[in-house]
Structures are given as C-alpha cells and as structure tokens.
Amino acid sequence: MLDETADSLPELTPGEETRRQFLTKVGLGACVMTGLGAALTVADYLEPKVLFEPPTSFRAGNVADFPEGTVRFNQEQKVYIVGGAAGVFAMSAVCTHLGCITRPVSGEGGIACPCHGSKFDLEGNVTHGPAPHPLPWLEVKADAAGNLTVDTSVVIPHGKALKV
Amino acid sequence: MSSFQLSALGALIRNSAVYRSIIRHGVANTNRNRSLVVFENLFLHVHPVKVREKTLKFSHTYWLGGITLVASFVLIVTGIFLMFYYHPSVPQAYRDMKELMFVVDNGVFYRNMHRWAAHLMVFGALLHMLRVFYHRAYKPPRQFNWVVGVILLLVTLLLSYTGYLLPWDQLAFWGVSVGTNMAKEAPLVGKPLRFLMLGGNIVSENALLRFYVLHCVVLPTVLLLFLSVHIWRIRKDGGVQGPPEKDASDEVEP
C-alpha cells in the first residue's frame, strides 16, 4: 500500500486501516466485480437463445405400415422405424461412436456403421464395437387414426415400444 | 562517406527529410552504424547485433522454426486474399470455394498455396519441436519458451482444424461432426462445449460462422501474440541454443 509517513498521521491500532487502504480495497473489489460481470455477459452472449434448426418431429406414416419385423430407414431424418414384437419404436440411425450414419445390413438382419465397423442388432444394442452405447430410442406418438409422429429430440429408455 | 560514392539521385533521397526520418543512422560502414541498423528498426530490434556463426548453419536448426514462421506469413497473406471471395454461409461457402477454384483468375493458385502452407506449418511446427527436443534446446534458460512453443503448436492445430470446416464439402462436414462428437465425450463440460462450438445442436450455419470467426480473427491474433513472445525470448535467452552469452561489462540486466 502507498504509505506516506507523515508525522501527523495517527497511530493505527491492529485491525485498523487508513482511509486510503480501505478505498483501495473498495476500488479493487469494484474492478473484480466489473470483470466478473463482463465475463458472465460475454459467456451468456455466446450461447444462442433461439435456434433456427429444422423441426425435430416428423410424421412417419401409419402404425398399420409397421407389422412385426419391418425396419424402415428414414434417410432424411436419420431414423429407423421398426415394427418390433412389443410394438412400434423409432431409433436414431446416428452411430454412438462418432456420429456417422449407420445402415441396415441386408441378409444379416442387423445394422452396421460404415466408418469404423460398429454393428447393432435391430433393437439398437451393440453387437460389435467400437460404439460405446446402444442406439437411442426416440419418442413415437400415435393419434386416434394411428398416424405416427416421431420426435428426434426426445430420447426414451430402451424397450418402451408403442403398443397399439 | 569518403569511400562511399553516392549518385546525385541517391544523395537527394538519402538527404530527404522522409528518408532521414525512417533511416536514422548513417551509412552502415562502421561497427556502430551496423549495430544501429539492427536496433533502430522495429522489425529487427529483437535480433541480436551479433550472432554466433555456427547457429546459422543449416544442420544446427534445419531452419525449421523459420520455415514454420514463413509458412504462417504466407497463410496470413493468402488467407486475406481468399476472404475477398468467400462468404461464410451455408448456401454460399461451397460455391465460393468452387468459384475460387475454377473462375477467379489465380484463385486456384492462392487457395492451393493456402492449403500447402497450412500443411507445411503443421508439419514444420512438429518437426521444429522434435529438433528442439533432440538438441536439448528446451533446457534452462529456455524452459519458458518451450511452454510458449507448446501453446503455439496447439493454436496451429486449432487453426488447421477450424479452416477444415470452411469449404463446407463432405470432408469438412464429417470431419467437424466427428471432431465435435469427440469433444462431447469429455466429462461434464463436453455437451455444453459442443453446443458453444457449434452454436446449436447440429453442424449448420451457426457452426460455419463460428469456425470462420475463430479461424480468421481470434486464433490468428492469439498466434501472433505468442509468436512475438516466442521470438523475443530467443533473443533474450541468448540465441537458439547453447549457453547464453556472457553479459558485456557495460551491459545492464534486461
């Protein structure tokens, strides 16, 4: 601290401080608060609040189109719609390894990724690495007439097929 | 001046006020003036007045740092040229890149120069690092400059990676998809980091714009900042390697 020793300065008892020391602390504190506020403002600014991304839900035909054993690959939405034993379910086609788009393998009755050789069964479970997680299941809803809507942004637990 | 005959025009130029303002030392025919040539010039003043002859030999450094430095200058110049034609938007980016390749006069030359210099810079920086390591040029008093060099290598790789997205072709799109998916796997910070990098949940126009700003403004600024420190430290640590010069008796501690 700037300590100008003048004879007229009163002796400080321990715990006391000069006005200058106190004001220096206040000033530095204000600078720190300003810096923190500026940093938070910038961080908040860099996080987009409105996204102009394509809608995540799409219509996927009628439940009658998916008898047990059908697998439809919707290439545009990167989603499989599967008629399973327990009902219809939708599953992301994006490989959980690094995000390549998987393909159904004709003949073997499974799903494979062209990038690093991951393989999945028709439930989305990993049968061959390097994929670390199974393919996520996505929310499917049906209206009264049985028309299906899939929302790719809502992940549901495995096994929750849509019973009709 | 006696041994140095000047033409009339040369004398006119050398005696003009403008020339005397830029070149403030006399003719470099004395040791003192030769020194002044170096340290009265902003661009040369970090250079020592005298250099050990052996450090200029090719086998001493293989000139790898210098090659990397020249590559980065080529990248800045050609990069500015490319910016005159490129729009960082989804409908335009790939088209602009093709226009540079097939329509603009010399566009293919500058774009490929940018590409080759980028490869050279990454390659040169890595080899430069190996050279410094094997020659033990990272040892005190140069340990701080090694750390600055590591930061420069990281910035170089980030520049290379952010430039990768800009052509907006299949290679770029999938390269960035895979890269940001790798970042997403980081514990805790992964998902928000990917969201912040892409400016959204998908690799799209926000991601292109963000990578463009990083590639053209933010990262080059950081690079030049640390590059300046890197080169200044070489001077202060007494050359590229070996024991630092003994202080001259009349020299004050820097």
Side-chain angles (χ1 to χ4, degrees), chain A residues 46-48 51 53-54 98-99 101, chain B residues 174 178 181-182 199-201 210:
Chain A
L46 286 174
E47 193 182 311
L51 294 173
E53 290 174 357
L98 288 175
I101 308 304
Chain B
W174 289 109
V178 166
N181 276 328
M182 285 179 178
N201 300 306
R210 281 179 185 221

Side-chain angles (χ1 to χ4, degrees), chain B:
Chain B
M1 282 294 235
S2 56
S3 64
F4 206 85
Q5 292 301 318
L6 295 176
S7 66
L9 180 66
L12 195 70
I13 292 171
R14 279 163 181 270
N15 293 327
S16 67
V18 173
Y19 185 90
R20 300 291 304 141
S21 307
I22 300 168
I23 312 289
R24 288 166 183 253
H25 48 78
V27 181
N29 56 359
T30 64
N31 269 347
R32 184 176 180 278
N33 282 1
R34 271 193 283 272
S35 306
L36 289 173
V37 168
V38 175
F39 55 65
E40 288 219 340
N41 180 321
L42 171 69
F43 304 100
L44 296 180
H45 81 276
V46 290
H47 223 274
V49 171
K50 289 178 180 169
V51 180
R52 286 198 193 94
E53 204 178 344
K54 66 169 189 183
T55 61
L56 298 175
K57 281 200 182 116
F58 177 72
S59 61
H60 205 72
T61 62
Y62 306 113
W63 303 343
L64 286 163
I67 288 168
T68 312
L69 180 70
V70 169
S72 62
F73 288 155
V74 169
L75 283 162
I76 288 167
V77 174
T78 55
I80 289 169
F81 288 171
L82 297 181
M83 283 169 82
F84 279 106
Y85 279 97
Y86 177 86
H87 306 75
S89 67
V90 171
Q92 295 220 53
Y94 185 68
R95 208 185 62 190
D96 289 342
M97 192 267 295
K98 297 238 314 194
E99 192 188 5
L100 275 161
M101 293 292 278
F102 301 114
V103 180
V104 179
D105 280 351
N106 305 326
V108 67
F109 177 67
Y110 292 129
R111 179 165 186 269
N112 288 348
M113 226 171 140
H114 196 76
R115 190 178 167 78
W116 281 102
H119 290 319
L120 181 69
M121 187 176 166
V122 173
F123 202 61
L126 287 165
L127 287 176
H128 171 64
M129 184 187 76
L130 287 175
R131 199 283 304 175
V132 168
F133 181 74
Y134 286 125
H135 284 196
R136 299 196 201 89
Y138 57 86
K139 292 204 158 187
R142 298 183 179 81
Q143 69 279 50
F144 173 71
N145 218 8
W146 171 268
V147 175
V148 176
V150 170
I151 293 167
L152 282 171
L153 180 67
L154 281 175
V155 174
T156 303
L157 294 176
L158 282 171
L159 274 160
S160 173
Y161 184 65
T162 49
Y164 199 56
L165 176 64
L166 303 181
W168 204 246
D169 53 5
Q170 288 291 324
L171 187 70
F173 181 88
W174 289 109
V176 171
S177 297
V178 166
T180 50
N181 276 328
M182 285 179 178
K184 193 176 69 179
E185 292 301 317
L188 294 175
V189 292
K191 281 199 168 79
L193 185 72
R194 179 174 185 265
F195 185 78
L196 216 58
M197 273 201 297
L198 296 180
N201 300 306
I202 54 174
V203 182
S204 187
E205 52 207 353
N206 285 1
L208 178 58
L209 188 59
R210 281 179 185 221
F211 274 59
Y212 178 75
V213 173
L214 285 173
H215 186 75
C216 301
V217 182
V218 179
L219 290 168
T221 308
V222 175
L223 184 91
L224 287 176
L225 196 75
F226 281 99
L227 205 53
S228 313
V229 175
H230 200 61
I231 289 161
W232 172 73
R233 265 335 303 178
I234 296 170
R235 158 92 178 85
K236 289 293 172 191
D237 294 337
V240 284
Q241 68 192 74
E245 292 278 2
K246 284 200 174 64
D247 286 341
S249 53
D250 64 341
E251 199 178 329
V252 289
E253 242 345 272

Side-chain angles (χ1 to χ4, degrees), chain A residues 61-83:
Chain A
N62 194 289
V63 73
D65 304 337
F66 300 97
E68 195 177 330
T70 42
V71 181
R72 287 252 188 104
F73 175 39
N74 185 323
Q75 183 148 2
E76 195 190 342
Q77 300 286 347
K78 305 177 182 69
V79 168
Y80 297 111
I81 299 155
V82 184

Side-chain angles (χ1 to χ4, degrees), chain A residues 32-141:
Chain A
V32 170
M33 294 291 283
T34 308
L36 271 176
L40 284 171
T41 311
V42 172
D44 195 30
Y45 169 80
L46 286 174
E47 193 182 311
K49 294 292 176 286
V50 179
L51 294 173
F52 299 93
E53 290 174 357
T56 53
S57 60
F58 65 97
R59 308 183 74 120
N62 194 289
V63 73
D65 304 337
F66 300 97
E68 195 177 330
T70 42
V71 181
R72 287 252 188 104
F73 175 39
N74 185 323
Q75 183 148 2
E76 195 190 342
Q77 300 286 347
K78 305 177 182 69
V79 168
Y80 297 111
I81 299 155
V82 184
V88 177
F89 62 91
M91 184 166 67
S92 169
V94 179
C95 183
T96 52
H97 176 222
L98 288 175
C100 294
I101 308 304
T102 58
R103 290 295 147 89
V105 184
S106 51
E108 291 175 43
I111 289 163
C113 178
C115 290
H116 309 97
S118 299
K119 287 195 176 71
F120 307 88
D121 63 16
L122 289 180
E123 306 266 291
N125 301 307
V126 181
T127 55
H128 188 283
H133 322 291
L135 295 174
W137 284 25
L138 308 170
E139 189 185 61
V140 187
K141 284 181 173 156

